[in-house]
Amino acid sequence: MHLHLRDDDMLKLVAPKTSNTFAGALIMPNLLPPITTKEALLAYKKRIQEACKNDEFEPHVTIFFQVDYSYEFLKEIKDEIIAVKLYPFGVTTNSETGVSSMDVEVLRPTLESMEKLGIPLCVHGETKGFMMDREKEFLPIYESLAINFPDLKIMMEHISSKESIDLLKKYDNLYATITVHHLMLTLDDVVGGMLNPHAFCKPIVKKPEDRKALLQLALSAHPKVMFGSDSAPHQKNTKECHHGAAGVFTSPIALQVLTQLFEEHGKLDNLNAFISLNAQRIYNLNPIKKEIRLIKKDFIVPEVYSYKSEQVVPLFAGQKLVWSIS
Ligand code: NCD
Ligand code: ZN
């Protein structure tokens, strides 16, 4: 329930890596320029469908939060979108047109309209503070949103710290997504040995105790938690460089890694709820029925995925996973 598909050749390269194994996904709107109009939204959805044409797959598209969205606009677009995604200004990839103030009164007109119309809000919850504390510093903002808009469903995207879990449990209208990389990695995997730019993302993966707490939450398939890969592909040369881009590409490995993780902890029974059933309930979805088969067979993760001039390196490139998709 959190996926970046990009556009053009990159879209053509990465979209099938999700659509071959998933029945649907929530697609993020942070293109350049971001998706803010009905025309751009419908055209993007069409390009996604075209890129996934060999698979049964529902792209649940979103628009990029703007403080000046009118009630009429949101009403008109309501049936086309699954949610609106809010990015604070400058906190992550392509968020330069994000909101410059997280003051509730500034956001109120749009959020009240969304609340009335029943449109969920997805949030990238980070401040511009010290990197390891950015999510923690954002928690009072989540809390104020939850209190001020009690009928608004608020999705705390890609939670990465243990403190977020307490807040999630405290308010009925807060929900969360968790990525594969936040369940698997800590900061040591990014900068503790040799630098690994392919594990660099926002929010940054954190301490072992954060990973552990997130893992417990996911393994229990807590009803307010959904799998959101935040698979965020970037060109190989924009990761392996000076000023490397933030984003981890996990689409082709997500299911296998999650299966391995849930199996290792004896929690395979909860895998379907974490990946799919919780999201269906939270977002009121009725997806097409799609069956895939996972088999206990080694899968060596490719070093790179390519299409024309696009090249993307997945997380765990060259490493062995013990589950494969048949
Ligand atoms: C995402 C991207 O590349 O679009 N990057 C990331 O590090 N997660 C944006 C985002 O979800 O923050
Ligand atoms: Zn994202």
Side-chain angles (χ1 to χ4, degrees), residues 139-212:
L139 295 180
I141 300 175
Y142 272 130
E143 180 152 33
S144 142
L145 294 175
I147 293 169
N148 276 276
F149 308 99
D151 293 328
L152 181 69
K153 279 190 176 173
I154 301 167
M155 315 299 173
M156 304 166 71
E157 295 296 333
H158 41 53
I159 53 170
S160 66
S161 52
K162 61 179 182 354
E163 291 82 3
S164 294
I165 300 173
D166 301 329
L167 189 73
L168 169 72
K169 291 178 176 169
K170 192 168 163 194
Y171 293 95
D172 285 350
N173 56 336
L174 291 180
Y175 301 87
T177 58
I178 305 183
T179 75
V180 169
H181 42 285
H182 291 100
L183 293 177
M184 295 294 289
L185 310 176
T186 69
L187 190 58
D188 264 359
D189 297 296
V190 190
V191 291
M194 303 288 272
L195 175 66
N196 181 3
H198 301 293
F200 169 59
C201 65
K202 305 289 177 71
I204 196 80
V205 293
K206 300 201 165 57
K207 295 183 179 183
E209 53 264 42
D210 295 302
R211 186 185 90 95
K212 196 171 164 205

Side-chain angles (χ1 to χ4, degrees), residues 245-279:
V248 179
F249 180 52
T250 51
S251 287
I253 62 158
L255 222 41
Q256 301 91 320
V257 173
L258 287 175
T259 305
Q260 188 170 334
L261 199 55
F262 276 63
E263 185 196 31
E264 271 165 19
H265 291 84
K267 292 287 183 191
L268 274 180
D269 285 352
N270 285 345
L271 185 62
N272 199 26
F274 175 63
I275 294 182
S276 183
L277 299 177
N278 286 354

Side-chain angles (χ1 to χ4, degrees), residues 2-4 6 28 30 85 87 92 124 157-158 202 229-232:
H2 182 140
L3 180 68
H4 299 270
R6 314 304 192 203
M28 288 298 166
N30 63 332
K85 174 70 184 283
Y87 291 90
T92 188
H124 185 112
E157 295 296 333
H158 41 53
K202 305 289 177 71
S229 70
D230 193 16
S231 179

Side-chain angles (χ1 to χ4, degrees), residues 20-84:
N20 60 1
T21 44
F22 287 82
L26 183 150
I27 314 298
M28 288 298 166
N30 63 332
L31 303 183
L32 283 178
I35 307 283
T36 55
T37 66
K38 189 173 176 182
E39 293 68 38
L41 178 87
L42 297 181
Y44 185 44
K45 184 168 181 177
K46 215 166 148 211
R47 293 197 295 282
I48 297 170
Q49 285 166 330
E50 185 60 23
C52 304
K53 61 179 179 297
N54 296 328
D55 300 310
E56 280 201 281
F57 177 76
E58 180 65 37
H60 300 287
V61 286
T62 60
I63 53 170
F64 195 98
F65 187 97
Q66 305 267 275
V67 285
D68 58 359
Y69 281 151
S70 68
Y71 178 84
E72 288 68 34
F73 170 73
L74 290 167
K75 190 168 175 210
E76 191 193 330
I77 208 163
K78 171 183 166 13
D79 292 337
E80 310 291 348
I81 55 172
I82 188 169
V84 176

